[in-house]
Structure formats: C-alpha cells, structure tokens
Amino acid sequence: MLDAVGFIGRFAIIAGFVATSAAALAFFLSLRREGLLPLARVGFHLTTTSIFVASAALLTLIITHQFQFHYVWAYSARDLPFGLLMSTFYAGQEGSFLLWTFMVAVIGIVLMAYSQKHNNEREVMGMYTTILGFLMLLLVVKNPFAPIDSPTIPLDGKGLNPLLQNFWMQIHPPILFLGFAAMTPPFALGMAALMQKKYQDWVTGSLPWVVGGAMVLGLGIALGGFWAYETLGWGGWWGWDPVENSSLIPWIVSVALVHTMLTQKRTKGLVMTNFLLASLSFVLVLYSAFLTRSGVLGDASVHSF
C-alpha cells in the first residue's frame, strides 16, 4: 500500500513537469491566440495539484517510516521527535527542492489572480510557469521517491544530522525557502513589463512583492544566524560562512531594489537599474540554492551536511 504512495508521488512529479511545460507554452502562445489562455490556466493548476500530491506522499512516507525509500532512510529515524521527523522532509537535497517548488506553486496561485487584475497574466505567468517547470525538472532528475539499493528493508534510518537536531530546524529552512520563492514574482513581473514595454507602470504593482520577499528572506537569514550563534557559539560576530553569505547577498540586492523602485516612482529614473536588480536578486537566489544544496562547499562551510 505504502509502496503505491511512493509510486503516486513519483508519477505526480512527472505529470507535473509535463503539465507545467504545456502551461508555460500555452501562456506564451496565448499572446497571439487568446483562446489558449484557459488551457494555460488549467495546466498551471494541474501542476500545483501534482506538487501538493507529491509533497503529501513524501511526508506520508516519512511519518510512517518507510525506509525502503532512500530519502526516508537517509534522513529520518524512528527515535526522532515528531517535529524533527517532519523537518526531515527538507533535510536533504531532493526534499528541499520539493519544498521550494511547493512554495513557488503556492505563491503562483496568488500571483495568477494578481496578474489577472493588472492585465499582464499571460506575460507574468508565462515567465513564472517556466521557472516552475525548471524546478519540476530538478525533481524529475533528483527523485525523492527512489528506492534503496538493497534487497532488504532497513529496520531504521540513518537519522537527522546532529547539527540539525535543533528547534530552529523546524522554522528556519521553511522561512528561508519561502523567501527564495518570494524572489520569483518580482523577476516574472519585471520580464513581463519588458515584454509589454511598460517601463514605469510595473514598479507600483511589483513593489509590494519586492518588499514582502525581502522581509521574509531577511527573517529567514536572521533566524539562521541566531541558530548558528546558539549552536556553534560564534561569539556574536558574523562567522562569514560562505553559504550564509550566499543567502545574504540576494537579500541585500532586494533591499537595494526596494529603494531604487521608490526612487523610480518619485523621479521616473533608474528604469534599467530596477530591471537589472530584479533579475539579479532572482539569479543570486538560484546561485545561493546551488551553493547550499550542491555540496561544492563541503570543505569550507558548516553546511557541509
């Protein structure tokens, strides 16, 4: 029965990738053929549904200790408290990508309704769904539902890394990844404005998204810093861990973007600067996620786990 849950989760990811690819194509084609817009919306909602199903499937496998799945075996164990057990959902690379994708999908539901009111749905959601499709492709490659390479099912898992067995593990990563996801709408809105050649109007509609994203990302970084201070005892000074800094840089860029957008609203200047900063904040989020989850800084970072 629970093996079927894993199959459903894997199928949901593949189906979601197909749906989001079709939706992105339909959104862009609807710029010339408006009749494709309802199809694009259906594709996006099917993608969102598939992500919800995959997330629920992985969480079910973790809670029920299904160690025949490699991800569950590698990061969870029977003796973990319930809160930490649930946090193993995003303890590894595959699960954290799924969490990120889940949050991008949830934000996308709000963004779709928002863009419909501002008459830029096709451009905004075309870009946004393309990004969502890229994240879905990562999940297709990095399968969180892969079985273990063993003829026997282990009685217990390897468990959560001791450094992660902390109260803040249940709070810091979700907020940080929500901040990462919240950097996507400003980029999509900026690219849509370039396509529509609305170089001034986009600032007013995008500013709340930029402010909200900067606030959430800043909160995630602050909680991570407090966690590191509490666990590693950095004596109150910034430890200059490269992974910590990689998430700080897009936050600094997003704060700069808030100020330059306010300047553009008042003076009509800094037009290209704002497009550049909106793009840069998103690109730096991708770079930060790569540094955090790729393992390339395993010898230089306390995030080597």
Side-chain angles (χ1 to χ4, degrees), residues 74-250:
Y75 297 103
S76 70
R78 295 184 183 275
D79 61 349
L80 285 174
F82 185 73
L84 289 178
L85 179 65
M86 293 189 67
S87 73
T88 61
F89 179 97
Y90 44 80
Q93 188 179 77
E94 297 90 342
S96 59
F97 282 151
L98 182 54
L99 176 66
W100 188 5
T101 307
F102 177 87
M103 291 181 169
V104 169
V106 171
I107 292 174
I109 296 172
V110 180
L111 182 63
M112 177 181 282
Y114 187 83
S115 61
Q116 288 172 5
K117 294 179 180 179
H118 288 77
N119 299 316
N120 58 359
E121 178 188 6
R122 291 173 291 177
E123 295 85 357
V124 171
M125 294 308 298
M127 288 301 306
Y128 196 86
T129 310
T130 300
I131 296 166
L132 187 59
F134 169 73
L135 293 174
M136 291 299 296
L137 179 60
L138 288 179
L139 289 173
V140 171
V141 176
K142 293 290 184 180
N143 177 20
F145 299 99
I148 60 171
D149 187 17
S150 172
T152 59
I153 299 175
L155 297 177
D156 203 355
K158 294 174 67 176
L160 195 60
N161 186 292
L163 282 176
L164 300 180
Q165 295 188 30
N166 186 285
F167 167 78
W168 294 108
M169 177 62 179
Q170 304 167 67
I171 300 175
H172 162 62
I175 294 178
L176 186 66
F177 275 101
L178 180 59
F180 282 176
M183 289 292 101
T184 311
F187 174 75
L189 288 163
M191 294 302 100
L194 282 174
M195 285 188 279
Q196 292 183 312
K197 298 182 180 180
K198 294 182 178 179
Y199 305 129
Q200 296 292 343
D201 296 345
W202 83 285
V203 172
T204 301
S206 303
L207 188 57
W209 291 94
V210 178
V211 173
M215 290 176 64
V216 175
L217 184 58
L219 176 60
I221 294 170
L223 291 177
F226 181 80
W227 180 4
Y229 171 72
E230 179 185 82
T231 303
L232 301 175
W234 283 347
W237 297 94
W238 187 263
W240 297 114
D241 182 275
V243 168
E244 298 286 348
N245 291 345
S246 71
S247 60
L248 180 67
I249 300 303

Side-chain angles (χ1 to χ4, degrees), residues 187 250 253 275-285:
F187 174 75
V253 173
F275 284 121
L276 177 62
L277 290 179
S279 302
L280 188 60
S281 62
F282 175 70
V283 171
L284 287 171
V285 160

Side-chain angles (χ1 to χ4, degrees), residues 241-279:
D241 182 275
V243 168
E244 298 286 348
N245 291 345
S246 71
S247 60
L248 180 67
I249 300 303
W251 177 77
I252 292 175
V253 173
S254 66
V255 171
L257 178 59
V258 172
H259 288 78
T260 54
M261 290 180 97
L262 289 172
T263 300
Q264 182 177 345
K265 283 186 65 177
R266 187 176 68 252
T267 68
K268 307 298 182 182
L270 300 178
V271 175
M272 294 311 299
T273 299
N274 284 325
F275 284 121
L276 177 62
L277 290 179
S279 302

